[in-house]
Amino acid sequence: NAGVTQTPKFQVLKTGQSMTLQCAQDMNHEYMSWYRQDPGMGLRLIHYSVGAGITDQGEVPNGYNVSRSTTEDFPLRLLSAAPSQTSVYFCASSYSRDSLSYNEQFFGPGTRLTVL
Amino acid sequence: TQLLEQSPQFLSIQEGENLTVYCNSSSVFSSLQWYRQEPGEGPVLLVTVVTGGEVKKLKRLTFQFGDARKDSSLHITAAQPGDTGLYLCAGAATGNQFYFGTGTSLTVIP
């Protein structure tokens, strides 16, 4: 199993450009999520999904869209990039939404995004 | 809103010393997880604690969940250079969301 994969690993955008960060998992996990990591702030939840066709907002959703058409894929879209979105983005998956408290989250290697 | 505050933010110690990292909140969580993150990688789960007052040991690491399920601590005995990394606590709240702490960057000097 590849686990959780993310592409690209690095990306530089200009302000106003749009792009999609890809995330895929091959563990048949129901729960998937996107976080951003900024210095001194830990990880903050952007959006999450408890299954195909179901998404919801996290702590910092503004400027980002998600969709979940399959169990495996959970792309994150930046609609119009801003310098404040410069960050490291992590995708994570977990086995079951029904017992979230007990479930380990498996993280991808991250995408380092710079917006000029 | 940062629900979980970790202290200290940075910690640099000599090999063999003991240390404690704290994770505090005013909110109640159904469980508390601790992760370790290496540079350039995603976090990796160390432990999950779910019962107030619970203590779990993982070799030289001891994790404790507060009685009121609002805080947790991580104690490392006889730290080794391999313990170097960013330690993150994460609380599971209602609504299928995890809230991560601010992180503690640990450096163990040989």
Side-chain angles (χ1 to χ4, degrees), chain B residues 38-52:
Chain B
E38 306 277 347
E41 299 180 5
V44 176
L45 181 69
L46 294 173
V47 76
T48 300
V49 285
V50 297
T51 306

Side-chain angles (χ1 to χ4, degrees), chain B residues 24-84:
Chain B
N24 295 305
S25 176
S26 58
S27 301
V28 175
F29 295 100
S30 56
S31 71
L32 205 295
Q33 297 181 329
W34 283 92
Y35 290 80
R36 182 166 69 202
Q37 184 179 18
E38 306 277 347
E41 299 180 5
V44 176
L45 181 69
L46 294 173
V47 76
T48 300
V49 285
V50 297
T51 306
E54 182 177 1
V55 176
K56 277 193 175 180
K57 292 190 176 183
L58 187 66
K59 295 183 180 179
R60 294 177 293 101
L61 279 60
T62 302
F63 304 86
Q64 185 164 8
F65 200 12
D67 290 341
R69 290 185 290 129
K70 293 182 179 181
D71 53 81
S72 181
S73 64
L74 158 61
H75 182 78
I76 301 179
T77 303
Q80 298 178 1
D83 295 327
T84 293

